[in-house]
Amino acid sequence: MRLLSCPRLFTHSPHPSGLCVGKMAAPMPRGLSCLSRALGWWSRQPVLVTQSVAVVPVRTKKRFTPPAYKPKYKSEKEFIEHARKAGLVIPPEHLERPIHLACTAGIFDAYVPPEGDARLSSLSKEGLSQKAERLKKNVESQLSIRKIKQYDANFKIKDFPEKAKDIFTEAHLCLNNSDHDRLHTLATENCFPDMVWDIKYKTVRWSFIESLEPPHVVQVRCSSMLNQGNIYGQITVRMHTRQTLAIYDRFGRLMYGQEDVPKDVLEYVVFEKHLTNPYGSWRMHGKIIPSWAPPKLPILKTVMIPGPKLKTWEEYEEPQGEAQKPQLA
């Protein structure tokens, strides 16, 4: 019988290419292979430590997934029929946006001042006839006062004239300081544009001196808008006062009135309140100007008087003597 001989083995030499060199080696008693020696060489090399990535499960809150909605009724018509059978009446939906009407657009049932008011004596024949007509109109005013007290339990017609005078005075003083934010709380949206019209670049000097006659209420009216539940109240107050007014343009020139000359003014001021609004307040709404009132003085405007046309090499020379003062139109 032929004995098996150990095969020739190649040992690994420290060659730079890392290949095994064909070098004969003696047979090992335990039959180690070339692969085992190669693994031994790799074990002697420096070990590169790498950072291991560990996946740690994190427990999170389970998300809520709503169940699928399954309508009980297939159509709106089927739902309405089922509601009618059950005795329920579903009102129709109106896709309309809500609106807020803070004030009315004008004066309803405006008071007509008698001609010659504040000039006729109460003891004269015409003065007594005016008082008789006023008593006839008081019937409707009394009904309106009762309507106002239904929404404002603290309202008193006797105390209102003094309150109206304070609102009137403070609103006009806001024009001196151009305090429009405060003026909005004292005047309605209908009266505000009339008070601030054309005074953007002007200076107003208004002052209240005294009351020639105590203010008193001459008419009270209530009216509704859009529906019967939206009610507004208007009170007309007669004021006979002494005031001063002066308006200056942006150059500081006087346009209207005089600060030192007081004038007697008779006015019929209308105050309004949105009665159904629990946060509403009395504000100035307008003025009633009678047809027999005298016309107002015109406003003096500043204009430029063109001078002589000069050429580029000429100079302007003022005429000798006193210069002529411009005449105000």
Side-chain angles (χ1 to χ4, degrees):
M1 185 176 64
R2 190 176 178 180
L3 298 176
L4 295 174
S5 61
C6 182
R8 294 182 180 180
L9 301 176
F10 291 90
T11 60
H12 180 75
S13 63
H15 196 268
S17 61
L19 301 175
C20 293
V21 182
K23 183 179 179 182
M24 296 297 293
M28 300 299 293
R30 296 186 180 181
L32 296 177
S33 63
C34 181
L35 182 60
S36 63
R37 293 194 177 190
L39 293 174
W41 178 82
W42 282 108
S43 64
R44 292 191 296 272
Q45 299 299 323
V47 180
L48 296 176
V49 180
T50 60
Q51 185 178 2
S52 62
V53 179
V55 179
V56 180
V58 180
R59 187 176 182 181
T60 58
K61 186 178 179 181
K62 187 177 180 181
R63 294 184 178 179
F64 171 74
T65 55
Y69 174 72
K70 296 180 180 180
K72 187 176 180 181
Y73 306 100
K74 296 182 180 180
S75 62
E76 185 180 358
K77 185 178 180 180
E78 185 180 351
F79 170 70
I80 294 174
E81 290 179 358
H82 180 79
R84 285 180 179 177
K85 291 178 182 179
L88 299 177
V89 179
I90 301 175
E93 296 183 359
H94 301 283
L95 300 177
E96 297 177 354
R97 294 182 179 180
I99 59 174
H100 173 65
L101 299 175
C103 68
T104 58
I107 302 172
F108 41 83
D109 193 8
Y111 174 74
V112 181
E115 188 174 355
D117 193 6
R119 297 178 182 177
L120 300 176
S121 174
S122 59
L123 301 177
S124 62
K125 184 178 180 180
E126 295 180 353
L128 292 173
S129 63
Q130 291 180 5
K131 281 190 174 183
E133 292 180 1
R134 193 177 303 169
L135 290 174
K136 293 179 182 178
K137 296 180 179 179
N138 281 349
V139 178
E140 191 173 352
S141 296
Q142 292 297 327
L143 296 176
S144 300
I145 292 172
R146 293 179 184 178
K147 195 74 173 179
I148 293 174
K149 288 184 177 180
Q150 292 179 3
Y151 295 92
D152 187 3
N154 299 326
F155 177 77
K156 294 182 180 180
I157 195 66
K158 294 181 179 180
D159 300 337
F160 186 79
E162 290 296 327
K163 181 181 179 181
K165 188 183 75 172
D166 296 339
I167 297 173
F168 174 82
T169 305
E170 189 175 357
H172 284 79
L173 289 176
C174 289
L175 298 177
N176 296 351
N177 306 324
S178 297
D179 190 359
H180 292 176
D181 294 336
R182 178 59 180 164
L183 186 59
H184 271 293
T185 62
L186 300 170
T188 61
E189 288 74 11
N190 179 69
C191 181
F192 180 83
D194 297 337
M195 295 187 69
V196 301
W197 179 78
D198 203 21
I199 61 170
K200 185 176 181 180
Y201 298 107
K202 299 176 180 61
T203 304
V204 180
R205 291 289 179 263
W206 182 90
S207 63
F208 177 81
I209 299 177
E210 61 178 349
S211 295
L212 300 177
E213 295 181 29
H216 65 273
V217 177
V218 294
Q219 181 174 281
V220 183
R221 291 291 183 271
C222 288
S223 180
S224 59
M225 184 179 293
L226 297 180
N227 54 53
Q228 296 297 328
N230 194 28
I231 301 177
Y232 298 83
Q234 291 185 356
I235 300 178
T236 306
V237 181
R238 178 184 180 274
M239 295 184 180
H240 193 196
T241 58
R242 183 167 292 173
Q243 311 169 9
T244 60
L245 175 64
I247 301 176
Y248 300 90
D249 61 3
R250 57 179 178 173
F251 303 107
R253 298 183 177 91
L254 183 65
M255 295 181 62
Y256 183 82
Q258 291 182 358
E259 291 189 61
D260 303 332
V261 180
K263 288 189 176 182
D264 301 343
V265 182
L266 177 64
E267 296 174 307
Y268 297 90
V269 188
V270 180
F271 297 85
E272 186 183 85
K273 180 182 180 181
H274 192 191
L275 298 177
T276 53
N277 184 8
Y279 304 100
S281 60
W282 291 102
R283 298 184 294 174
M284 282 183 57
H285 188 63
K287 293 182 181 180
I288 298 174
I289 301 175
S291 57
W292 46 265
K296 294 183 179 180
L297 297 176
I299 294 179
L300 305 178
K301 296 184 178 180
T302 303
V303 295
M304 183 183 69
I305 301 176
K309 295 183 179 180
L310 302 177
K311 296 182 180 179
T312 55
W313 60 85
E314 294 180 351
E315 294 183 359
Y316 177 73
E317 295 181 358
E318 294 183 359
Q320 296 181 357
E322 186 179 359
Q324 296 181 357
K325 296 182 180 180
Q327 295 181 357
L328 299 175

